[in-house]
Amino acid sequence: MTPQLRESRFLKAVRREPVDTTPVWLMRQAGRYLPEYMEVRSQVTFLELCTRPDLAAEVTLTAQAALGVDAAILFADLLPILRPMGLNLEYHAGEGPVIDNPLRTAADVDRLSEIQDIQEMGFVFETVRRVRADLPGDCPLIGFAGAPFTLASYAIEGGGSRNYENTKSIMYGDSGAWQALMDRLVPTLIRYLSAQAEAGCQVVQIFDSWAGCLSPSDYRRYVLPHSKRLIEGLPEGLPVIHFLTGNPALYPLQREAGGDVQGLDWRIDLAAGWELVGHDVAVQGNLDPVSLFADVDTLRDRTRQVLDAAAGRPGHIFNLGHGLLPTMDPEKVKLLVEMVHEMGGDGGAA
Ligand code: CP3
């Protein structure tokens, strides 16, 4: 890694070193709220956009430049990795992802194959190389993947779900099938994230977006060991952001599973969330995304509250508690980034 990248505001915060002002990036920053994204997206399907390195690199770079954020996140999606494992993933307009051959039984799990040759996802690594080549030299690039539980829930339900009844049936009722599924996902994810890092990502984020549907004891039993194996299997020195949403009672366990930075959603005050994960790790978050629909003064007050809750402690990366929404005003989103940079210097300075 170049010294310029190593000394970037974002990577300093990851290492809990003092910074001139709070670094910020936003989940789903390259998304439908941005006219530049819609322009590219109007010409291709979502899956084509994910698998075309020229276009995926373009939307990654455009979002970083438009917002002035302190890190770029690779444009890709959580789910395409399931295709070379044997699942028929498609994205239907208005419905989101759909898999027409989901895993419902132990026999179904057996037909899921571990990816041996990770180059089947080569389009992602090519996107990383292109983005890295064109990104400002002091701007880190974040790679990502779904956590084993969240990927399993899509593979089993075949799409989004409200109650996860199929996933929980297998998880609670058939420990052999659950273990077999985790044993295929975890090594695949280790190879996938390691290859992203090798291609030029400085950090990776693991999204366990749906793990919040579990109690702490179920998370500890069915999820934590597998997320931990994944994180421990990543290359030495590659910083990991570990993010889950929907259940702050899981934060101490999220920490136990691992990660250099713990992502917090907005359902807890940042100060309380930091206590729960411990002050000896960095945190990322956690403005309620819907704050972006409020007037500018309210948005500023709410942004200041999040910054104040960090209390000038090194190791805070500002983000939303979850992703940007398609109906958000891009000008407000840019303003939010400016506000963080302007106010983050007040308490967070070295
Ligand atoms: O953050 C970024 O800008 C990087 C790109 C990114 C996307 N998806 C692009 C995307 C990232 C990091 C993701 C992660 C992702 N994908 C998650 C976890 C994130 C979270 O919110 O916790 C999940 C659950 C998915 C699966 C997924 N992809 C769903 C459920 C959907 C449909 C729902 C929706 O928002 O439309 C997608 C599609 C998707 N992924 C879009 C984008 C920009 C919109 C697709 C479009 O352009 O039509």
Side-chain angles (χ1 to χ4, degrees):
M1 194 186 311
T2 63
Q4 220 189 347
L5 275 172
R6 199 177 319 113
E7 295 308 310
S8 65
R9 201 183 268 160
F10 179 87
L11 286 175
K12 278 183 165 174
V14 167
R15 298 190 301 266
R16 291 186 300 117
E17 293 169 12
V19 283
D20 58 338
T21 188
T22 307
V24 50
W25 71 280
L26 303 169
M27 286 185 272
R28 292 273 170 113
Q29 66 193 24
R32 285 164 294 183
Y33 77 96
L34 209 59
E36 294 90 335
Y37 173 84
M38 290 313 291
E39 171 63 32
V40 177
R41 175 70 175 80
S42 66
Q43 298 160 31
V44 289
T45 65
F46 177 65
L47 206 51
E48 208 177 327
L49 180 51
C50 288
T51 52
R52 285 250 323 247
D54 56 334
L55 299 180
E58 180 186 335
V59 299
T60 306
L61 290 160
T62 311
Q64 190 281 327
L67 299 181
V69 279
D70 297 288
I73 180 159
L74 164 70
F75 185 83
D77 197 48
L78 243 47
L79 306 178
I81 185 117
L82 296 174
R83 284 160 58 99
M85 298 184 82
L87 296 178
N88 304 330
L89 167 73
E90 284 189 56
Y91 293 85
H92 294 177
E95 251 185 281
V98 180
I99 293 166
D100 73 9
N101 58 344
L103 312 174
R104 292 289 162 79
T105 63
D108 288 341
V109 169
D110 267 346
R111 68 174 161 73
L112 191 76
S113 52
E114 195 184 303
I115 300 184
Q116 295 301 337
D117 182 7
I118 202 61
Q119 286 314 319
E120 295 195 59
M121 298 301 287
F123 54 89
V124 171
F125 317 133
E126 178 57 21
T127 302
V128 171
R129 284 188 287 271
R130 288 181 188 222
V131 172
R132 191 58 273 169
D134 287 348
L135 206 57
D138 61 353
C139 184
L141 175 59
I142 304 168
F144 69 92
F149 174 81
T150 290
L151 281 180
S153 79
Y154 275 101
I156 295 169
E157 303 296 339
S161 176
R162 186 180 283 266
N163 296 313
Y164 306 96
E165 50 262 49
N166 298 297
T167 308
K168 289 183 176 183
S169 297
I170 293 189
M171 195 173 80
Y172 299 152
D174 189 343
S175 57
W178 183 252
Q179 184 68 42
L181 180 52
M182 294 295 115
D183 285 347
R184 282 166 208 194
L185 285 171
V186 170
T188 298
L189 290 168
I190 290 173
R191 286 190 204 113
Y192 182 48
L193 287 170
S194 302
Q196 290 181 27
E198 198 179 317
C201 291
Q202 283 67 50
V203 186
V204 293
Q205 174 155 327
I206 295 172
F207 285 90
D208 214 350
S209 306
W210 310 140
C213 70
L214 300 170
S215 70
S217 58
D218 286 332
Y219 179 90
R220 175 178 290 290
R221 178 163 173 190
Y222 299 108
V223 176
L224 192 152
H226 309 293
S227 293
K228 191 165 191 257
R229 254 197 306 157
L230 165 59
I231 293 169
E232 285 175 352
L234 294 176
E236 185 83 30
L238 173 66
V240 175
I241 307 171
H242 189 188
F243 172 70
L244 69 75
T245 110
N247 189 355
L250 299 180
Y251 287 147
L253 302 177
Q254 170 181 313
R255 162 71 203 270
E256 199 177 317
D260 303 273
V261 181
Q262 302 296 323
L264 305 175
D265 79 11
W266 71 92
R267 294 171 181 87
I268 188 164
D269 294 332
L270 185 118
W274 209 340
E275 287 276 335
L276 280 180
V277 295
H279 291 137
D280 54 343
V281 279
V283 291
Q284 174 175 285
N286 75 343
L287 181 71
D288 182 346
V290 174
S291 309
L292 276 155
F293 292 115
D295 61 86
V296 170
D297 288 342
T298 305
L299 178 63
R300 182 177 287 106
D301 285 348
R302 298 180 60 83
T303 302
R304 191 190 302 277
Q305 278 171 33
V306 172
L307 291 166
D308 284 352
R313 193 178 274 122
H316 176 218
I317 295 163
F318 191 98
N319 205 315
L320 304 174
H322 209 164
L324 288 162
L325 300 170
T327 49
M328 283 171 176
D329 171 1
E331 293 310 316
K332 276 257 197 65
V333 178
K334 291 175 197 172
L335 193 60
L336 170 63
V337 173
E338 282 170 24
M339 285 176 183
V340 173
H341 284 154
E342 178 196 305
M343 296 191 288
D346 295 351

